[in-house]
Amino acid sequence: EHELLLHTETNRGSTFAVRVSITDQLQQTAPSIEIAEGARILLVDNDQPTREQLTFMLQEWGHDVSAFDGTQIEPIAQAALNASVWLLDFHLDDGRTGIDLYRKLIRQMPDRPTLVLTADISDQVRSICQELDLTLVRKPIRALALRSVLMRLLSASNAARP
C-alpha cells in the first residue's frame, strides 16, 4: 500500500506524488536473464571498430570473446573448437564471406550455433542463411536484439546437450 499526495493551487496547477516504502528484499518478477553469461564466443568481423565494439559489449555481458578479422584460418579454427557460439560477419575481405568460413570450420569440427552479422539484406544472403539454418542478425546491431538471440541460441544449445 502506497500513500498518494495531491497538491493544487489555483492558476498554478497541480502536483502529485506517491510515497513508496523502501525494502531490503527485492521481489523477482521476471526470470533471470543471466542464462547466457559466461559463454565462449568466436567473433569474426573484418571491420575493426565493429569488432572492438562487439567484443567490449559481449565481455560486459560476461562472455569470453575470441575476436578475429578473418584473415588467418588457423587461430580462428583453434578458437572455434572451444566456442559455444560463432558470430561471423557475412562480408569479409578479399571476396570471402563468413559463410565460406563457416563451411571450412564445419569440415573440421561439429558446428555450433552461428549468427551471421550483415548489413546486406539481399534475398541471396537471407536464402543462404536459411539453407544452412544460420541465424541472421542485421547491422547495425542492436544490443537488446543480439542479447535476446544469443540467450535463445545458448539456451537451446544447453537444452540439447545430454
Side-chain angles (χ1 to χ4, degrees), residues 142-155:
R142 295 183 331 235
L144 290 176
L146 178 61
R147 188 170 182 139
S148 174
V149 170
L150 274 176
M151 285 174 36
R152 185 176 37 110
L153 286 178
L154 290 167
S155 295

Side-chain angles (χ1 to χ4, degrees), residues 2 4 18 21 26 31 34 47 52 60 62 66 76 83-85 91-92 96 101-102 105 129-130 159 161:
H2 305 293
L4 179 63
V18 178
S21 18
L26 295 176
E34 306 308 319
D47 181 64
E52 289 173 355
E60 284 291 305
S66 297
I76 293 171
S84 307
V85 65
H91 291 289
L92 300 173
R96 291 174 293 115
L101 177 59
Y102 173 80
L105 292 174
C129 290
Q130 284 177 338
R161 289 186 186 155

Side-chain angles (χ1 to χ4, degrees), residues 9 38-39 66 81 88 161:
E9 286 187 38
S66 297
L81 277 171
L88 308 176
R161 289 186 186 155

Side-chain angles (χ1 to χ4, degrees), residues 24-132:
D24 291 335
Q25 296 179 335
L26 295 176
Q27 293 180 338
Q28 189 170 349
T29 58
S32 173
I33 59 171
E34 306 308 319
I35 200 165
E37 282 193 8
R40 288 186 176 172
I41 297 177
L42 170 68
L43 170 63
V44 180
D45 196 308
N46 63 325
D47 181 64
Q48 183 177 352
T50 300
R51 189 173 60 249
E52 289 173 355
Q53 290 169 356
L54 282 171
T55 298
F56 177 78
M57 182 171 55
L58 292 165
Q59 288 173 338
E60 284 291 305
W61 294 344
H63 301 298
D64 180 16
V65 181
S66 297
F68 300 92
D69 63 8
T71 57
Q72 297 179 325
I73 188 68
E74 291 304 317
I76 293 171
Q78 187 63 39
L81 277 171
N82 299 317
S84 307
V85 65
W86 300 339
L87 274 65
L88 308 176
D89 184 23
F90 185 82
H91 291 289
L92 300 173
D93 291 331
D94 303 321
R96 291 174 293 115
T97 69
I99 300 300
D100 299 332
L101 177 59
Y102 173 80
R103 288 179 172 143
K104 285 179 185 174
L105 292 174
I106 63 171
R107 277 188 242 134
Q108 300 175 25
M109 66 194 74
D111 68 341
R112 305 292 192 283
T114 302
L115 300 177
V116 176
L117 314 173
T118 187
D120 184 343
I121 57 169
S122 69
D123 289 338
Q124 178 189 12
V125 171
R126 247 180 292 167
S127 176
I128 292 169
C129 290
Q130 284 177 338
E131 180 182 308
L132 295 171

